[in-house]
Amino acid sequence: MDNTHNDETLRILAPKGHPLTRRKFISMAAAVGAGVLTVGTSAADAANATSAMETAAKNSLKTAGKPTKNLYLYTWGQYDNPTTFTAWQKGTGIAIQIGSYDSNEAMIAKLELAKGTAGYDIVVPTGGYIPEMAAKGLLLPLTKSLIPNFKNLDPALLNFPWDRGNKYTIPKDFGTTGFIYDKTIITRKMETWQDFVTAAALPQVSGRVSILDDPNDVLAIALWNEGVDWNTLDKAKLHTANNWLIKNLAPHVSNLDSYPGGTGGLSSGTYVLSQAWNGDARQALLKDPTKFEWVVPFPKSEIWVDNWALAKGAKNVDTAHAFFDYILDPTVSANEMIYTGYNTAVADVRSYLPKNLAQESVIFLTKAQEKRLVAYLVNSTNNLRTQLYDDFKAAIAS
Amino acid sequence: MKTTGANKWLLGFITTVVVLFLFLPLVVVVVFSFNGGSDAFLWGGLSTAAYGQATQDTTLITALRISIEVAVATGLISMLVGLIAGLASTGRGWAHRLLFILFVVILATPEIVGASGSLLWFVTLGVSNGFARLIIAHSIFGSALTALIVRGRASGLEPAVFEAANDLGARTLTMLRTIAVPLLAPALIAGGLLSFTFSLEDLVTSVFVSTAQTTPLPVFILASFHSQFHTDIFAIAVLVFVSTTVMFLVALLAMGGGSRQRMRRGLRLLGATTSEPE
Amino acid sequence: MLGRGTLRSFTSLTYAWFALWFLAPTGIMLIYAFGHTASVTQAGLVNLNHLGFSNFFQALRYPTGPVLMISLENAVLATALCGVIAYPVAYFIARKLGPRTRVIVLLLVVLPFWTDYLLRMLGWRIFLSPLGLLYGALHAIGWHVTYISILDTRAAVMIGLVYNYVPLFILPLAVVLERIDPLLLQAADDLGAKPWTIFRTVTFPISMAGVVAGTVLVFVPMLGDYVTPTLMGGARGLMIGSLIASEFNEGQNWSLGAAMAILLIVILVAIVVACWLLSVGVRSAILRTRRRAIERDLAAT
């Protein structure tokens, strides 16, 4: 850590005129979960950093309507920095309870069955599923006037086809799908999805390969490889893609794991090649920076956007809006990014990050990478894709 | 008298090996709850930091409390329903035989089907209390379990005992209290114990049926499987284990001498055997 | 056994309770099997306008058949293993221990299951992981393997299944074994039977009720289990329960999932009923041959 750097180089102004020096920022980052940065911090520095977030929370609460005592979040597993929540609780006195799910479909299943009685206020759907949720009446429209910090959002991440005008949702973060591999074991060139499949067949790799537990991401490997848009409605193309996967990839896959980095599969040596989301791959890289290599493959890959939304049946609507306002505060947004490893949608959030954030290249996409990323919208071939996925899983098991 | 040649020591040895096998992953969990490293799965020295984190996490403690409360209620209801249902299924007519099939169907129904059906039904009926939902849903499986065990045990009972009670004009409740429960006690306890255990660790049903306000522990722990895993999860599991064990030991000691002597006396009067070791 | 009035009231109560909390909800779910899944842009889960059997036909197509075969193989093998392991343990607990120690050992059998299920599976994964504890232990005693490859195989699935279901076999079996009247065994001994004969002709047949209970309690839920095989066997742990669950969770295809569930339930009930009929048939055949043998002996005198 180079303390001779002029603090003026990075003039950061926390909301409401609370000047925050670069050193305090790094302390704040250091106060975050284990294994992210290894910077020593004093208790005083950490306290200063969190107090900035607490102030943001208090201010967000002021602009909301009538706040309540509790807030219930239904989100992906450990998808937010714990200090984000503690700062909110300290600043507003409102407790946050969290439920979790590991797939959009499971979340939709529960919300549909419960018809608003599940008790959750906020839910975090991936973009492609929003039209479906809106059609099924699972979301409440947002009241933008209660979210002043909406203006902090990068316009490039607003107004997606799945929610024109951002009627229901605010982008939370976005990321991509790629693969990560143990470069001490795999030494060949690894740039395309074809390379992924070829490498999986190598003797020292076969049987230690994981792919994402998601029908679309798996089918996509073949579709992207052939240059087909993975939103295709062409059933014949989907069948061909699946057959190719069954022939070339299925014999070598050992696990369907959506979190190979975070849950230790890569670090423990269980996997040497994994399809992964960038933030999760970063977890493995943080533990073993020299052992692994992350790739955003050619010719195409995915961009997904996760969003904050209000669930139907929410009892704490105004509090939820206050929370959205809080989460869009740049300091809070940067705090989230350090933990999750995913880029948030707040404009210029990059300038709020510490200079030496580990494995930064995994979080931020280059322009070249962005050009080859495509988002997915759930469509009518949904049932067929699940069938094919089951066939693929059966092929692995036999 | 050696009625069977089975060597006590050989059987004891097998039992010990099996118990060790059952405890193996628990030992791993306990050991790793003291892991001081930053990666929960790679050993990094001894540390009790995880316990500190776990006990301070109020949501974790609340989830634990909810799990135990639901499990105790489930165990008790399963014992009651299991007793009635198990006895009902011992009859000879088709209605009674069909009950046996019903229990099998309950066990056979994939949990996800039963869970989603239950949630749908609760919403239709307007059962919105999370505790009620969890307890009812868990106890259906537990009752079927207990009923089958009760049925197995009841098939070995002498009908003469019940007929005698009937002839003597005993009311149903008296019959239950003085005959059925004492004779079936081991089956009830086994069923209640298994139902409690099932409820405590149930995942699929709980995921569907729980509300945000009543989230049991396994659902909570599932979250850490979905992203990053921290050692405090291991710590909370050990705490669960310790607290339920202590609870049971306390209950056992409290039940203690008095009622068991009464049971034994009642059994001897009826000519039923006592179960002493060979 | 019970008075007829008591029996009737118990039966009605039982049916009423289970009708309300099991038959009704599950019934609704199963009716979905005859409908069509609502499209992703429609409200509601299922379209019940045209009812039909199309989901059942679809459920029977590949890969249900092969996956069901694998699941049955796994479940039968694992249940048999559970039975073989459970019998000596149950016998020991029921007949070789005093009442107090019996309760303690029974508790010991159940105790490990009071840690969270997911974490116990994780404990196994840590133990069996390629460079994990078993690897370390083997290296410590001088056996230098390159890496452990038990995890994510069918062997791991078997370990997981047997591990999770063995207590469900031990408890009901112990409960029945405990009930066997020592006077019966005494009588057999007095008549000069050898210990193994006593076991074969007296103890084991009487314990059959416990074996049946144990088998049902283990085999039936095991076949629909999808969490255990997936956690231990990874992608190779595919059992029929996963297919059903994936229709509900990922596919959002409730009708198809419900249809597959009906098929599974029917198959399981059929197997249980078949075994029960078989056991009744076998028992009556044995009794018939024994009676004829006795009559022959009597006629000869």
Side-chain angles (χ1 to χ4, degrees):
Chain A
M1 189 71 41
D2 188 0
N3 279 325
T4 59
H5 242 280
N6 195 341
D7 278 10
E8 287 301 297
T9 343
L10 215 69
R11 276 208 322 142
I12 300 157
L13 291 166
K16 307 302 178 236
H18 209 51
L20 212 66
T21 63
R22 177 172 160 270
R23 199 174 345 119
K24 284 193 186 132
F25 238 112
I26 291 165
S27 313
M28 173 179 87
V32 162
V36 178
L37 290 176
T38 51
V39 176
T41 175
S42 75
D45 279 346
N48 282 338
T50 29
S51 77
M53 290 203 293
E54 288 170 30
T55 316
K58 280 203 197 83
N59 292 320
S60 294
L61 198 61
K62 277 195 214 127
T63 55
K66 291 187 296 282
T68 47
K69 295 249 279 294
N70 290 299
L71 193 60
Y72 295 95
L73 234 69
Y74 198 29
T75 182
W76 302 76
Q78 301 199 355
Y79 202 23
D80 298 281
N81 195 333
T83 54
T84 305
F85 294 138
T86 44
W88 161 272
Q89 281 169 182
K90 272 265 204 70
T92 61
I94 299 176
I96 295 191
Q97 315 259 41
I98 304 164
S100 83
Y101 51 85
D102 62 346
S103 78
N104 288 288
E105 293 90 344
M107 173 260 294
I108 293 176
K110 169 132 187 197
L111 289 180
E112 265 215 270
L113 280 173
K115 291 206 184 109
T117 63
Y120 293 109
D121 304 307
I122 297 177
V123 69
V124 183
T126 307
Y129 293 86
I130 296 174
E132 177 186 351
M133 290 181 74
K136 290 184 187 273
L138 301 176
L139 300 176
L140 292 175
L142 299 173
T143 315
K144 302 272 196 1
S145 54
L146 297 179
I147 314 177
N149 278 334
F150 189 86
K151 61 181 184 338
N152 296 344
L153 287 167
D154 185 344
L157 284 154
L158 293 176
N159 213 25
F160 273 100
W162 50 63
D163 188 13
R164 292 258 177 245
N166 287 85
K167 188 165 160 217
Y168 294 104
T169 62
I170 305 172
K172 176 186 193 290
D173 51 30
F174 61 98
T176 183
T177 305
F179 59 81
I180 176 171
Y181 64 97
D182 184 335
K183 61 185 181 193
T184 62
I185 297 184
I186 302 178
T187 48
R188 53 164 288 145
K189 129 181 127 69
M190 297 289 280
E191 283 165 16
T192 68
W193 285 110
Q194 178 64 60
D195 293 332
F196 177 81
V197 175
T198 314
L202 294 172
Q204 65 273 40
V205 179
S206 175
R208 290 163 87 182
V209 176
S210 80
I211 53 177
L212 291 173
D213 193 3
D214 184 315
N216 296 304
D217 281 314
V218 172
L219 267 177
I221 298 177
L223 291 170
W224 286 324
N225 188 45
E226 292 165 31
V228 176
D229 177 11
W230 66 319
N231 282 299
T232 181
L233 295 171
D234 187 336
K235 298 195 173 174
K237 288 222 170 77
L238 293 174
H239 275 283
T240 320
N242 202 43
N243 292 334
W244 183 82
L245 286 171
I246 289 178
K247 180 147 165 271
N248 296 300
L249 187 57
H252 312 293
V253 172
S254 61
N255 290 76
L256 299 153
D257 189 341
S258 292
Y259 301 91
T263 52
L266 283 163
S267 314
S268 68
T270 314
Y271 318 137
V272 300
L273 177 64
S274 295
Q275 186 191 24
W277 295 318
N278 58 327
D280 180 70
R282 184 166 168 271
Q283 298 302 320
L285 284 164
L286 290 172
K287 290 180 204 161
D288 298 285
T290 51
K291 191 167 160 201
F292 297 108
E293 189 77 29
W294 158 257
V295 176
V296 180
F298 288 83
K300 283 191 193 300
S301 191
E302 170 181 22
I303 181 169
W304 50 261
V305 183
D306 280 341
N307 305 269
W308 297 105
L310 266 181
K312 165 109 178 280
K315 297 254 170 52
N316 305 299
V317 176
D318 286 349
T319 317
H321 281 96
F323 181 81
F324 292 150
D325 189 61
Y326 166 70
I327 210 85
L328 291 175
D329 179 281
T331 51
V332 180
S333 198
N335 191 37
E336 289 275 279
M337 192 193 296
I338 293 168
Y339 182 83
T340 63
Y342 291 111
N343 199 348
T344 66
V346 171
D348 294 333
V349 64
R350 194 158 187 174
S351 59
Y352 285 76
L353 291 175
K355 255 275 169 9
N356 292 346
L357 185 61
Q359 301 292 341
E360 228 187 51
S361 59
V362 179
I363 306 178
F364 297 105
L365 303 165
T366 64
K367 277 279 177 270
Q369 287 170 333
E370 275 176 24
K371 272 217 203 74
R372 53 178 197 269
L373 301 181
V374 184
Y376 179 72
L377 247 148
V378 172
N379 60 40
S380 58
T381 59
N382 199 38
N383 286 340
L384 174 62
R385 288 171 189 245
T386 312
Q387 293 309 307
L388 295 174
Y389 187 51
D390 285 341
D391 292 350
F392 179 70
K393 287 202 279 194
I396 298 178
S398 52
Chain B
M1 160 190 85
K2 258 193 152 236
T3 47
T4 61
N7 191 343
K8 181 173 183 179
W9 300 112
L10 175 64
L11 288 178
F13 175 72
I14 295 177
T15 307
T16 316
V17 168
V18 171
V19 169
L20 287 176
F21 169 71
L22 292 176
F23 268 85
L24 193 147
L26 175 61
V27 168
V28 173
V29 170
V30 169
V31 165
F32 272 78
S33 68
F34 293 104
N35 184 3
S38 57
D39 184 336
F41 303 123
L42 298 174
W43 186 253
L46 274 171
S47 153
T48 52
Y51 284 92
Q53 281 174 333
T55 42
Q56 276 166 25
D57 192 337
T58 45
T59 25
L60 216 51
I61 302 288
T62 314
L64 171 58
R65 190 177 49 85
I66 292 172
S67 277
I68 293 185
E69 286 171 14
V70 169
V72 169
T74 302
L76 292 173
I77 293 182
S78 299
M79 289 205 291
L80 178 62
V81 177
L83 174 66
I84 308 285
L87 283 174
S89 71
T90 55
R92 297 220 177 264
W94 278 116
H96 312 292
R97 293 264 166 84
L98 211 60
L99 276 180
F100 174 68
I101 303 290
L102 176 65
F103 302 149
V104 173
V105 169
I106 292 176
L107 293 185
T109 307
E111 224 184 322
I112 198 163
V113 175
S116 33
S118 296
L119 180 56
L120 197 66
W121 190 235
F122 288 144
V123 170
T124 314
L125 288 182
V127 178
S128 54
N129 179 298
F131 276 107
R133 287 182 178 182
L134 283 166
I135 294 172
I136 292 174
H138 286 177
S139 66
I140 291 299
F141 187 83
S143 316
L145 207 87
T146 310
L148 280 170
I149 301 179
V150 164
R151 190 174 176 280
R153 169 100 173 174
S155 68
L157 294 179
E158 295 131 27
V161 171
F162 289 91
E163 281 162 27
N166 225 0
D167 292 341
L168 290 171
R171 281 179 18 253
T172 313
L173 225 58
T174 322
M175 184 274 293
L176 279 178
R177 190 168 53 86
T178 56
I179 303 178
V181 172
L183 286 177
L184 294 168
L188 287 176
I189 294 175
L193 207 58
L194 287 173
S195 303
F196 170 84
T197 309
F198 161 77
S199 168
L200 195 64
E201 59 163 36
D202 175 69
L203 191 60
V204 180
T205 308
S206 306
V207 162
F208 270 90
V209 156
S210 64
T211 58
Q213 290 80 358
T214 49
T215 308
L217 195 63
V219 178
F220 203 82
I221 291 181
L222 190 62
S224 46
F225 261 67
H226 294 160
S227 188
Q228 298 165 53
F229 203 92
H230 294 298
T231 312
D232 60 353
I233 303 293
F234 285 136
I236 199 74
V238 175
L239 288 175
V240 174
F241 169 72
V242 167
S243 51
T244 40
T245 312
V246 165
M247 220 178 58
F248 256 87
L249 288 176
V250 166
L252 217 62
L253 290 170
M255 270 198 328
S259 56
R260 221 185 297 147
Q261 282 163 4
R262 231 180 295 134
M263 253 201 274
R264 279 237 193 85
R265 224 177 297 135
L267 288 173
R268 245 179 255 131
L269 271 174
L270 293 166
T273 55
T274 55
S275 33
E276 296 298 339
E278 295 166 359
Chain C
M1 188 187 315
L2 299 172
R4 214 176 306 142
T6 322
L7 194 61
R8 214 178 292 147
S9 57
F10 278 5
T11 313
S12 323
L13 277 173
T14 307
Y15 273 113
W17 177 258
F18 283 112
L20 179 60
W21 297 119
F22 176 74
L23 292 172
T26 318
I28 297 179
M29 270 287 120
L30 298 179
I31 290 178
Y32 283 4
F34 296 94
H36 298 275
T37 263
S39 83
V40 289
T41 47
Q42 256 184 316
L45 292 164
V46 170
N47 183 337
L48 287 172
N49 290 334
H50 319 281
L51 300 179
F53 286 92
S54 60
N55 290 305
F56 291 94
F57 291 128
Q58 202 180 0
L60 288 169
R61 67 174 272 288
Y62 178 85
T64 311
V67 174
L68 190 58
M69 279 320 295
I70 297 178
S71 311
L72 281 170
E73 281 170 26
N74 286 347
V76 167
L77 190 57
T79 307
L81 279 172
C82 281
V84 164
I85 293 174
Y87 207 102
V89 177
Y91 193 88
F92 180 70
I93 293 174
R95 308 210 67 84
K96 299 289 186 187
L97 292 177
R100 188 156 276 177
T101 18
R102 191 178 305 140
V103 172
I104 294 179
V105 177
L106 271 177
L107 266 181
L108 276 181
V109 166
V110 173
L111 220 54
F113 294 78
W114 291 348
T115 40
D116 181 67
Y117 162 78
L118 288 172
L119 296 183
R120 286 200 315 275
M121 294 295 100
L122 200 58
W124 272 112
R125 284 195 72 95
I126 293 177
F127 183 72
L128 293 173
S129 99
L131 307 163
L133 293 179
L134 182 59
Y135 171 85
L138 290 178
H139 271 244
I141 60 171
W143 183 355
H144 292 280
V145 292
T146 21
Y147 62 87
I148 307 276
S149 57
I150 297 178
L151 216 50
D152 300 326
T153 63
R154 204 156 165 192
V157 174
M158 296 307 293
I159 294 176
L161 287 175
V162 170
Y163 175 83
N164 273 312
Y165 287 87
V166 130
L168 274 174
F169 213 117
I170 294 178
L171 256 64
L173 195 51
V175 157
V176 169
L177 280 170
E178 193 239 352
R179 188 70 194 88
I180 295 179
D181 191 343
L183 292 175
L184 282 172
L185 304 173
Q186 175 90 60
D189 182 62
D190 290 343
L191 288 170
K194 290 224 203 60
W196 173 248
T197 318
I198 299 180
F199 177 77
R200 192 169 47 88
T201 57
V202 182
T203 315
F204 188 70
I206 300 184
S207 73
M208 275 313 280
V211 173
V212 165
T215 309
V216 171
L217 285 180
V218 168
F219 180 78
V220 171
M222 190 190 273
L223 196 60
D225 191 350
Y226 68 94
V227 191
T228 308
T230 313
L231 284 175
M232 292 295 280
R236 309 209 181 254
L238 185 68
M239 286 185 35
I240 190 77
S242 303
L243 286 186
I244 299 179
S246 80
E247 292 303 334
F248 278 90
N249 276 333
E250 283 136 29
Q252 298 186 69
N253 195 340
W254 298 76
S255 324
L256 185 57
M260 289 171 115
I262 293 184
L263 287 175
L264 181 66
I265 295 173
V266 165
I267 290 173
L268 277 169
V269 172
I271 292 179
V272 170
V273 169
C275 290
W276 177 77
L277 285 174
L278 202 69
S279 74
V280 164
V282 165
R283 206 181 301 159
S284 62
I286 293 178
L287 284 172
R288 233 178 298 132
T289 47
R290 267 206 216 127
R291 209 173 292 138
R292 252 182 248 136
I294 294 173
E295 283 165 5
R296 229 181 296 127
D297 288 342
L298 285 173
T301 56

